[in-house]
């Protein structure tokens, strides 16, 4: 695959790209292969890409990452796509000293990973997969093993969300195998937490518990991380504990872990807070706590109104479907009315965004 193939594609006039369907065959990837020797760039001449281009990408990566976490992918996805398609892809074709080319490939790979996640958050799964694959190609070009492991983990998260559990588990295991020897403890925990989730989904609770314990141990040794991609903290670990518990049918333990996650969640991570609140309310209802679930869902609606995320919108649809049978309860009826008023507004906003 030409590593610039998807970076060069601009969105169509509706802000969407219509490039095929999600492919399981595309997940048959090597963990790592030696990089073939190739010329430094597709152009000849004096180097024109230097530290200022690398610094620009690094700064914008921070900006896009913060916007995504705080407001959801809908506010930054197309801006990031356009920067990759126009600026980053153009710079990668210009002459550069090897050290600057490697640095540019590394940070462009991280931006492609973030762009993949933004499409994942928008339920645009084929495009998300294409950007994850591009992030792998760029990491490989840079000789960045940790970046390659990051891309494998991203593909695992997506495959798991789509219900492809064996493929998700294989990718998570590949990410751990490659990433652990080349990353600090915080990122090691990041990889191990995902492997715990996938092992639970393939009915291996013993391995899931072991990997969760290993992730917790490594996170305890980690320095505080502000990395724009691959950051991991106690709130994320608690979400992984909840996912494992939920896979094993233990809704009470899942609810407790989700409450722990909310206590640890940084205030700037609104999108993760919204999704965690929705998952907590669903777990509380599974435990038979209708009033508690209504209170949690009410908080979810407040945060949901501040973000643009198709995944969060999916939880809004779930809320309506699950609370409707309880509409004769006063709290449930008030919640249902509020949720139904919010959904048409969100649909109108999406239609407006898709209009040329």
């Amino acid at each position: 695959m030409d590593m610039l193939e998807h970076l060069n594609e601009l969105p169509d006039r509706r802000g969407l790209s219509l490039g095929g369907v999600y492919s399981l065959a595309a997940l048959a990837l090597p963990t790592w292969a030696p990089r073939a020797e190739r010329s430094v760039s597709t152009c000849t001449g004096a180097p024109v890409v230097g530290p200022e281009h690398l610094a620009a990408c690094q700064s914008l990566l921070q900006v896009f990452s913060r916007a995504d976490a705080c407001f959801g992918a809908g506010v930054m996805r197309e801006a990031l796509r356009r920067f990759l398609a126009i600026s980053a892809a153009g710079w990668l074709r210009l002459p550069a000293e090897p050290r600057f080319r490697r640095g540019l490939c590394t940070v462009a790979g991280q931006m492609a990973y973030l762009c993949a996640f933004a499409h994942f958050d928008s339920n645009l799964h084929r495009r998300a997969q294409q950007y994850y694959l591009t992030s792998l190609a760029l990491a490989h070009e840079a000789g960045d093993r940790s970046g390659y492991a990051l891309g494998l983990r991203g593909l695992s998260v997506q495959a798991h969300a789509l219900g492809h559990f064996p493929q998700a588990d294989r990718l998570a295991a590949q990410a751990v195998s490659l990433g652990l020897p080349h990353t600090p403890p915080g990122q090691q925990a990041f990889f191990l937490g995902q492997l715990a989730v996938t092992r639970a989904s393939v009915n291996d609770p013993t391995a899931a518990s072991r990997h969760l314990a290993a992730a917790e141990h490594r996170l305890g040794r980690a320095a505080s991380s502000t990395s724009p991609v691959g950051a991991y903290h106690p709130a994320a670990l608690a979400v992984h504990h909840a996912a494992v518990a939920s896979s094993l049918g233990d809704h009470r333990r899942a609810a407790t872990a989700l409450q722990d996650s909310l206590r640890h969640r940084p205030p700037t991570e609104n999108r993760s807070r919204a999704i965690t609140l929705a998952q907590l309310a669903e777990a509380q209802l599974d435990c038979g706590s209708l009033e508690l679930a209504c209170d949690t869902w009410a908080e979810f609606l407040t945060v949901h109104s501040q973000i643009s995320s198709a995944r969060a919108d999916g939880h809004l649809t779930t809320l309506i479907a699950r609370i409707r049978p309880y509409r004769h309860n006063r709290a449930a009826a008030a919640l249902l009315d509020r949720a139904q008023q919010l959904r048409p507004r969100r649909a109108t906003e999406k239609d407006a965004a898709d209009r040329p």
Side-chain angles (χ1 to χ4, degrees):
M1 180 187 69
D2 179 355
M3 70 178 179
L4 302 181
E5 177 185 353
H6 302 304
L7 294 190
N8 279 320
E9 296 179 6
L10 285 169
D12 69 9
R13 63 184 186 143
R14 294 172 301 159
L16 300 176
S17 186
L18 308 176
V21 296
Y22 180 85
S23 168
L24 288 177
L27 301 180
L29 298 161
T31 298
W32 183 260
R35 188 172 70 90
E37 290 298 321
R38 54 169 289 163
S39 59
V40 168
S41 105
T42 56
C43 302
T44 59
V48 296
V49 172
E52 66 277 15
H53 300 88
L54 183 56
C57 285
Q58 290 169 333
S59 296
L60 283 171
L61 176 61
Q62 293 280 355
V63 170
F64 285 127
S65 177
R66 287 195 295 267
D68 172 66
C70 190
F71 303 111
V75 303
M76 48 68 72
R77 187 189 71 239
E78 292 308 322
L80 175 55
R81 279 191 65 182
R82 287 181 177 274
F83 179 81
L84 283 168
I86 297 170
S87 297
W91 294 342
L92 285 166
R93 284 197 163 89
L94 294 175
E97 292 181 19
R99 58 178 175 145
F100 290 130
R101 178 170 178 80
R102 285 193 299 271
L104 191 58
C105 283
T106 295
V107 71
Q110 293 171 338
M111 295 183 92
Y113 171 90
L114 181 61
C115 195
F117 184 79
H119 283 78
F120 169 75
D121 190 51
S122 302
N123 289 338
L124 299 171
H125 286 292
R126 176 53 177 167
R127 295 302 293 160
Q129 185 181 46
Q130 289 170 335
Y131 275 104
Y132 279 131
L133 294 172
T134 298
S135 78
L136 290 176
L138 286 162
H140 188 259
E141 177 71 12
D144 179 12
R145 289 174 181 259
S146 63
Y148 198 89
L150 184 72
L152 290 171
R153 184 193 181 279
L155 286 167
S156 173
V157 170
Q158 182 185 26
H160 185 270
L162 295 175
H164 305 301
F165 298 144
Q167 293 85 351
D169 186 60
R170 175 175 53 80
L171 289 161
Q174 287 180 319
V176 165
S177 177
L178 180 63
L180 258 60
H182 303 284
T183 55
Q187 273 205 317
Q188 292 173 12
F190 180 70
F191 294 129
L192 287 163
Q194 174 61 17
L195 183 56
V197 170
T198 64
R199 285 291 147 94
S201 70
V202 295
N203 298 314
D204 191 348
T206 301
S209 297
R210 184 173 69 251
H211 293 311
L212 280 176
E216 191 162 353
H217 174 70
R218 283 167 170 80
L219 188 59
R221 294 167 42 212
S224 177
S225 174
T226 58
S227 172
V229 293
Y232 199 67
H233 47 56
L237 176 62
V239 166
H240 283 156
H241 274 281
V244 169
S246 182
S247 288
L248 302 176
D250 191 339
H251 301 300
R252 292 193 183 280
R253 187 155 62 93
T256 298
L258 291 166
Q259 288 168 333
D260 288 343
S261 179
L262 289 168
R263 280 193 291 271
H264 291 292
R265 180 67 61 186
T268 54
E269 297 184 4
N270 280 335
R271 193 256 320 284
S272 292
R273 176 172 294 277
I275 290 173
T276 302
L277 283 165
Q279 292 171 334
L280 175 58
E282 292 160 20
Q284 288 168 334
L285 189 61
D286 287 333
C287 294
S289 302
L290 175 61
E291 299 288 339
L292 201 55
C294 287
D295 289 343
T296 304
W297 262 320
E299 189 176 352
F300 159 73
L301 292 180
T302 298
V303 183
H304 177 267
S305 66
Q306 303 167 13
I307 61 173
S308 177
S309 163
R311 287 191 300 147
D313 292 346
H315 282 288
L316 175 62
T317 300
T318 298
L319 183 168
I320 292 171
R322 295 205 60 186
I323 208 67
R324 187 173 283 123
Y326 304 96
R327 59 187 177 274
H328 298 300
N329 174 281
R330 181 179 299 177
L335 178 70
L336 182 61
D337 182 62
R338 184 180 170 195
Q340 288 175 327
Q341 289 180 29
L342 182 60
R343 188 166 65 170
R345 180 173 68 82
R346 273 304 171 88
T348 300
E349 289 173 354
K350 184 180 184 301
D351 290 343
D354 288 348
R355 246 180 252 128

